[in-house]
Amino acid sequence: EYMGGLFCFRAMGLDELNNLFATQSYVSGFEATAADTKVFVELKGEPDAAKYPHLYRWYRHLQSFTPAQRAAFPGSTATPAAISAPASTSASVVEEKALSKKELRSIAGAAGGGARGAPKKEKKAIVPAEDGKKVNRDGLEFTRAEDFGRWYEDLVKKSGLIEYYDISGCYILRPWAYSIWETIQKYFDQKIKAIGVENTYFPLFVSQKNLFAESDHIEDFAPEVAWVTRSGQSELELPIAVRATSETIMYPIFADWIRGHRDLPLRINQWCSVVRWEFKKPTPFLRSREFLWQEGHTCHATQESADVEVLDILEFYRSVYEDLLAVPVVKGRKSDKEKFAGADYTTTVEGFIPYVGRGIQGATSHCLGKNFAHIFDIKFENEKQQQEYVVQNSWGLTTRTIGVAVMVHSDDKGLVLPPRVAPLHVVIVPIVKKGVDPEFVGGPAKALAARLEALGLKVKVDNRTDHNPGWKYAHWELKGVPLRVEVGPQDVTDGQCVVVRRDTGNKQTFKLDAAPESIAKELEVMQQDLLNAAREKRDNSIKKVYSWEEFVPTLNERKLCLTPWCNTKESEQIVKDRSAAESKQMAEDDASGLTGAAKTLCIPFDQPPLPEGTKCFITGEPAKCWVLWGRSY
């Protein structure tokens, strides 16, 4: 265990380690740390899989990292003065004092600090709720104010969105999360099919030759590409890359499919997973080694046709975020430095996480021009019997959508889900009193549920008898169900029910006869309220900045900067380098300071007036546009 900056085996046997890993993925927290490396080294061999299955799973996971990667795990690497470690993996340690799981976690908790995702705290902390009252933190172990990163990682697991897996950077999407993704899929799929896009599926693998065909494209993706080099015990003659994106998989085939102008436009989309083996800090939904997405790839006879589609798709992405997820976004164009590798230009929808003051790329729609068409020889015969290269687009949306919505809307009680994507719209909690027939409240509760379902709502009656109403309230608040309906004996007598909104906690009393229609209306009101509240926070966090002196201080206020800009790659790099250096110095001077380089998020389509003579805020050259800067995920 991790204790005061050192790793200490206080006579921990293999049984204790196996029990520890039965309920957690790492020695401490939600990511591998130097504590895991120390335990791995001291074990000196693979545990018996049959006798210690949980320890074996953890060991094999650590074994998947290279020694250099294990050495780079965060945390202290100091060697303790004395370690009582297992002599081999085939026998238990002679125990001087066996530690219970509670004691082990207590030791790790006492160490504090270090990596994100620290272990559970043994005592239930009493923290102030948003309304100022003191509440017992039975659900989440962290608040956003304490540690936003740990709050988020704790939230997505305890709310039932994800489960951690034994390969770093890979996560299991549980049904609660996958239901949200299915809603997004259905919504977007209907929109693209309406403009003539057809779904397809291409293989997961790409040949080395095709992958390296476009130099700018592969240069951007090369560090993230995973390779298959062996089949069983035999080395492959040539390595095969795992799909990171499908341009180089699809486009050689497009050259065979397209012959004349009647074959255009070609518009296909696939729903699939991709693998990007990056070693930056993995974060569920936002940055993972495998994730789900849709990727559209289209070919056009003219630039005009391609340009129209780029913006049509971007509008669909805006609608996913704003109309489904109640997350406001800024539509714009990426700078040449930030555009997709190999594209003529990239358009984007950019979100904002107000609690940490960071921007986040929501989805992108690219015009690839004729760059890939030249490489893969994708030509068509036009109406004048002349050969031309096609103009291509590509566009993609990922499960990042879920993480963005969770960060924007949720609170210290748990998820807050917009009604249009919530797996469950309404939970009805019958309140059974001692001496009262359970069916006295259960019957009306079920009848109300049936009437709500007839309106197309997703409803659950929580009539479990092993939990009291208070526990149920907290449980469904953690899972983010938009509305809770309480039905007690007096409510039945009075012909009414109490409806509680998840986002505000506001309670209303509805007559049972009119409740279904009133509840359906309240869901729509909540959907709009969530968007309005998020948009107000976002708008209040965008500040016009005209000079460098204002720039980093504004970022440190957890805001985005809208600046006049000369629109050059050189000036963008200057801003990135200087903001990184200055924010680092500020953090050293003030421990509460924020760090991180700023980059351009987009050149917004909605441009404020730019008076003649306005200077670029960083170079002093004549400004060509307004650009949105921020620290970002």
Side-chain angles (χ1 to χ4, degrees):
E1 272 296 331
Y2 190 62
M3 181 187 292
L6 299 177
F7 303 105
C8 181
F9 288 102
R10 269 190 27 211
M12 281 179 61
L14 298 185
D15 289 330
E16 284 72 29
L17 285 170
N18 188 60
N19 291 338
L20 182 70
F21 293 125
T23 57
Q24 60 192 64
S25 297
Y26 300 105
V27 171
S28 175
F30 300 120
E31 67 170 340
T33 66
D36 293 275
T37 302
K38 197 68 178 179
V39 176
F40 180 85
V41 171
E42 290 299 321
L43 283 173
K44 298 182 175 65
E46 193 173 274
D48 185 317
K51 190 172 182 181
Y52 308 110
H54 307 299
L55 178 59
Y56 175 78
R57 171 192 56 77
W58 168 87
Y59 187 90
R60 288 300 300 270
H61 173 46
L62 266 288
Q63 202 173 41
S64 71
F65 294 93
T66 66
Q69 290 163 0
R70 287 195 292 268
F73 288 161
S76 171
T77 57
T79 304
I83 297 177
S84 174
S88 72
T89 58
S90 60
S92 298
V93 179
V94 177
E95 299 187 2
E96 296 174 4
K97 178 183 177 182
L99 297 181
S100 68
K101 188 181 299 184
K102 180 176 179 180
E103 289 173 314
L104 294 173
R105 286 178 173 162
S106 179
I107 292 171
R116 287 166 60 179
K120 294 181 179 179
K121 300 174 182 178
E122 281 306 302
K123 294 182 180 179
K124 294 177 180 178
I126 305 297
V127 296
E130 293 182 347
D131 59 5
K133 297 178 181 178
K134 298 287 184 176
V135 296
N136 193 311
R137 192 164 62 207
D138 288 320
L140 301 182
E141 298 292 332
F142 301 94
T143 67
R144 291 170 297 173
E146 285 176 334
D147 189 315
F148 188 84
R150 291 182 178 183
W151 164 82
Y152 175 73
E153 291 181 335
D154 199 25
L155 171 62
V156 295
K157 185 176 190 303
K158 288 186 176 175
S159 64
L161 289 177
I162 65 114
E163 185 57 72
Y164 288 92
Y165 194 54
D166 65 353
I167 296 177
S168 177
C170 297
Y171 307 97
I172 298 165
L173 297 191
R174 298 183 66 180
W176 203 250
Y178 202 82
S179 174
I180 298 173
W181 180 237
E182 285 180 317
T183 300
I184 294 169
Q185 275 186 303
K186 182 178 179 181
Y187 183 81
F188 185 76
D189 209 53
Q190 289 175 339
K191 287 185 174 293
I192 60 174
K193 285 178 178 175
I195 63 171
V197 178
E198 297 179 294
N199 283 329
T200 186
Y201 186 80
F202 276 68
L204 175 66
F205 304 110
V206 55
S207 68
Q208 189 174 25
K209 175 186 174 183
N210 284 345
L211 183 67
F212 284 93
E214 212 289 336
S215 57
D216 289 341
H217 180 72
I218 187 56
E219 182 179 354
D220 192 57
F221 282 104
E224 304 174 354
V225 175
W227 293 90
V228 179
T229 60
R230 193 171 68 184
S231 172
Q233 298 303 314
S234 303
E235 295 295 325
L236 298 182
E237 183 177 350
L238 292 173
I240 298 172
V242 181
R243 173 176 58 214
T245 183
S246 294
E247 282 79 3
T248 56
I249 298 174
M250 294 181 174
Y251 297 172
I253 309 303
F254 286 5
D256 293 332
W257 288 356
I258 296 171
R259 288 289 180 263
H261 63 87
R262 291 183 180 86
D263 297 324
L264 299 173
L266 172 66
R267 292 175 165 174
I268 64 171
N269 173 74
Q270 72 173 355
W271 296 93
C272 63
S273 69
V274 289
V275 174
R276 296 184 183 174
W277 209 260
E278 54 183 329
F279 285 94
K280 296 178 181 177
K281 169 68 179 175
T283 304
F285 296 113
L286 303 191
R287 189 181 296 282
S288 57
R289 287 180 173 159
E290 181 188 15
F291 56 87
L292 301 178
W293 77 342
Q294 60 72 214
E295 53 176 325
H297 297 271
T298 64
C299 298
H300 303 261
T302 67
Q303 184 67 52
E304 292 74 18
S305 174
D307 289 340
V308 168
E309 183 193 80
V310 165
L311 295 182
D312 284 346
I313 296 298
L314 194 70
E315 173 58 21
F316 295 163
Y317 289 152
R318 180 213 62 80
S319 184
V320 167
Y321 274 99
E322 296 193 347
D323 300 334
L324 269 189
L325 298 169
V327 173
V329 291
V330 177
K331 292 167 65 175
R333 181 165 171 157
K334 287 288 189 182
S335 69
D336 285 344
K337 182 177 176 60
E338 291 293 326
K339 71 180 181 181
F340 180 68
D344 272 6
Y345 66 89
T346 290
T347 63
T348 181
V349 289
E350 297 288 326
F352 177 67
I353 312 300
Y355 215 85
V356 289
R358 291 185 180 272
I360 188 162
Q361 180 177 287
T364 47
S365 180
H366 319 282
C367 179
L368 306 179
K370 299 184 177 182
N371 300 330
F372 285 91
H374 280 280
I375 294 165
F376 293 103
D377 200 33
I378 311 174
K379 297 178 181 178
F380 70 100
E381 186 177 83
N382 65 23
E383 294 178 348
K384 297 178 181 180
Q385 287 77 52
Q386 298 170 328
Q387 290 289 310
E388 284 190 54
Y389 287 102
V390 300
V391 182
Q392 292 180 265
N393 293 337
S394 69
W395 25 273
L397 177 82
T398 80
T399 41
R400 169 177 283 202
T401 48
I402 300 172
V404 173
V406 168
M407 285 186 166
V408 167
H409 299 306
S410 300
D411 59 26
D412 293 338
K413 294 179 181 179
L415 295 176
V416 175
L417 295 177
R420 290 179 188 167
V421 295
L424 194 63
H425 295 120
V426 180
V427 60
I428 302 175
V429 180
I431 302 172
V432 179
K433 300 289 187 180
K434 188 175 181 180
V436 177
D437 183 354
E439 273 303 302
F440 182 73
V441 292
K446 293 174 186 175
L448 176 58
R451 294 172 63 202
L452 289 169
E453 288 170 345
L455 295 178
L457 300 183
K458 292 172 282 189
V459 187
K460 180 178 179 62
V461 177
D462 190 346
N463 52 14
R464 290 174 289 179
T465 58
D466 55 338
H467 293 294
N468 62 35
W471 186 95
K472 294 176 184 179
Y473 298 167
H475 173 75
W476 295 112
E477 285 176 347
L478 178 62
K479 296 186 75 67
V481 176
L483 294 181
R484 180 178 78 241
V485 178
E486 302 168 5
V487 181
Q490 190 61 49
D491 295 316
V492 173
T493 300
D494 295 340
Q496 65 183 28
C497 62
V498 176
V499 177
V500 185
R501 267 180 50 167
R502 172 62 185 87
D503 57 330
T504 63
N506 289 344
K507 292 187 176 184
Q508 300 180 72
T509 300
F510 294 152
K511 289 294 183 182
L512 285 172
D513 289 345
E517 291 74 19
S518 298
I519 287 171
K521 181 179 179 180
E522 192 61 34
L523 288 168
E524 284 302 309
V525 171
M526 178 179 170
Q527 179 81 27
Q528 188 62 47
D529 286 351
L530 285 173
L531 177 61
N532 292 344
R535 180 175 284 134
E536 182 179 7
K537 290 178 183 177
R538 191 275 313 272
D539 291 348
N540 290 337
S541 298
I542 298 177
K543 180 181 178 181
K544 285 185 178 179
V545 171
Y546 294 88
S547 67
W548 176 256
E549 290 70 25
E550 302 174 77
F551 188 76
V552 174
T554 299
L555 294 176
N556 285 349
E557 294 172 2
R558 292 182 169 84
K559 293 184 177 181
L560 305 179
C561 297
L562 186 65
T563 73
W565 186 41
C566 60
N567 196 0
T568 64
K569 287 185 179 180
E570 294 75 17
S571 63
E572 187 169 358
Q573 189 63 46
I574 290 171
V575 172
K576 185 175 182 178
D577 293 342
R578 287 183 63 179
S579 61
E582 290 193 18
S583 64
K584 182 178 180 181
Q585 183 59 51
M586 287 182 178
E588 291 174 355
D589 296 339
D590 177 5
S592 64
L594 299 174
T595 59
K599 69 175 187 178
T600 57
L601 304 178
C602 70
I603 300 169
F605 290 155
D606 186 8
Q607 288 273 305
L610 188 67
E612 187 176 350
T614 302
K615 302 294 184 182
C616 171
F617 85 108
I618 185 65
T619 66
E621 297 294 320
K624 297 179 181 178
C625 62
W626 290 91
V627 67
L628 192 62
W629 302 82
R631 296 190 176 106
S632 70
Y633 280 95

